[in-house]
Amino acid sequence: MQNRRWGGILDWLAPRACLVCRGRAGRMGGEGDADLCAACHDQLPRSGIQCPVCAVAADQPRACGACLARPPAFASVFAPFPWDEPLAGWVRAYKYAPRPDLGRTLARLLAMEWQCRGLPRPDALAPVPLHPRRTAGRGFSQPAELARLIGRHTGIAVRQTPPPSFPTPRPPFVNSKPPSPHLHLAVWPRLVLFFKSNSWPALRDS
């Protein structure tokens, strides 16, 4: 409660600018709000009907042929936003500029979209870790920071996982549209959600 009160005082003394229109950012549900006004938030592009497993665009909310033919190791991908502006630009800046301040907006948007869709609450979340060389080059670990902010917004426990033994290459399409609808997920800082057994409804519409 005290943090929320201080947040309101700071917003009044130094109002935050909307990332899209540069007007005054509104409060959309509590501490750590996105730096967006309500109108620009409502106009952000949202993903349409998707395969509930891999999140590729689909005509009907059912598993795509690729997931039926070769089921992946994960239960579902949550991808509420397409790789489109302004979100694509924010993700690029958050990871490669770097712009750690954008993490607040990205984390809040993901948490709000999850809650608005009535999806089951995870028992824990874990950032997909960066190689130490990659973290040093960017100045901070974007997945770890995003997980921390989402955990703070939602109260979901955050688990830490060991870093990989070698760095993954930077996707060649970071500054352009991915050649496959699956590949934009490689640019987002990735998180793994953990659920108790049978708490995630299989093959549901995301």
Side-chain angles (χ1 to χ4, degrees):
M1 180 66 70
Q2 189 169 0
N3 287 339
R4 240 177 238 186
R5 186 180 301 118
W6 278 113
I9 293 173
L10 289 174
D11 285 347
W12 181 75
L13 292 174
R16 293 172 290 114
C18 172
L19 290 168
V20 179
C21 70
R22 308 310 299 170
R24 182 165 183 164
R27 297 192 65 79
M28 297 181 295
E31 179 188 356
D33 282 320
D35 289 340
L36 293 169
C37 67
C40 290
H41 171 262
D42 292 342
Q43 292 173 11
L44 289 177
R46 263 77 171 183
S47 297
I49 300 174
Q50 299 169 305
C51 166
V53 181
C54 69
V56 69
D59 295 328
Q60 297 181 353
R62 61 181 62 174
C64 67
C67 289
L68 290 174
R70 192 171 184 179
F74 51 83
S76 184
V77 170
F78 178 63
F81 303 106
W83 188 247
D84 202 354
E85 300 300 338
L87 281 147
W90 297 343
V91 172
R92 285 192 296 264
Y94 180 57
K95 291 184 66 174
Y96 304 117
R99 287 275 309 276
D101 56 297
L102 291 171
R104 173 176 60 196
T105 294
L106 295 174
R108 189 64 180 167
L109 288 174
L110 289 172
M112 289 175 69
E113 288 295 318
W114 185 276
Q115 293 166 349
C116 288
R117 296 173 187 229
L119 296 172
R121 178 184 173 87
D123 296 293
L125 62 89
V128 175
L130 299 178
H131 186 271
R133 190 189 311 164
R134 190 78 73 209
T135 301
R138 295 181 185 174
F140 71 107
S141 172
Q142 289 81 17
E145 178 65 6
L146 204 61
R148 184 188 71 81
L149 291 168
I150 292 175
R152 188 179 71 181
H153 294 330
T154 63
I156 297 171
V158 177
R159 297 181 183 176
Q160 298 301 325
T161 52
S165 57
F166 57 89
T168 56
R170 175 173 169 166
F173 52 80
V174 166
N175 295 316
S176 60
K177 195 171 182 65
S180 164
H182 288 86
L183 292 180
H184 80 276
L185 299 173
V187 186
W188 276 86
R190 282 162 287 174
L191 310 175
V192 177
L193 305 179
F194 296 92
F195 297 87
K196 293 179 180 177
S197 178
N198 298 325
S199 66
W200 179 263
L203 304 183
R204 66 169 291 168
D205 183 9
S206 61

